[in-house]
Amino acid sequence: MKKEQTDTCVKVLKVKLKPTKEQAAELTRLSKEYIYHANQLVQQAVSDG
């Protein structure tokens, strides 16, 4: 069986966000909420084995 060759091209673009105070507060809130839910999922997975 012949292995297919795939060409992958990765480009990196640096972007600096300049959110307003309100947007920064919302980003912080969303980040904390995301981390909370991710931790809940991990905890559930560990307890379920």
Side-chain angles (χ1 to χ4, degrees), residues 5 8-11 18-20 23 30 32 36-37 40 45-47:
Q5 182 179 355
T8 304
C9 181
V10 177
K11 294 184 181 186
K18 295 181 180 180
T20 64
Q23 291 169 332
L30 289 171
K32 289 179 180 179
Y36 170 80
H37 287 288
Q40 293 289 82
V46 170
S47 67

Side-chain angles (χ1 to χ4, degrees), residues 2-39:
K2 185 178 177 184
K3 184 178 177 183
E4 289 186 33
Q5 182 179 355
T6 58
D7 294 329
T8 304
C9 181
V10 177
K11 294 184 181 186
V12 177
L13 176 65
K14 284 189 174 186
V15 177
K16 178 119 182 178
L17 298 177
K18 295 181 180 180
T20 64
K21 286 183 181 181
E22 293 82 11
Q23 291 169 332
E26 183 66 4
L27 286 170
T28 299
R29 186 190 70 76
L30 289 171
S31 295
K32 289 179 180 179
E33 186 173 341
Y34 174 84
I35 291 167
Y36 170 80
H37 287 288
N39 287 336

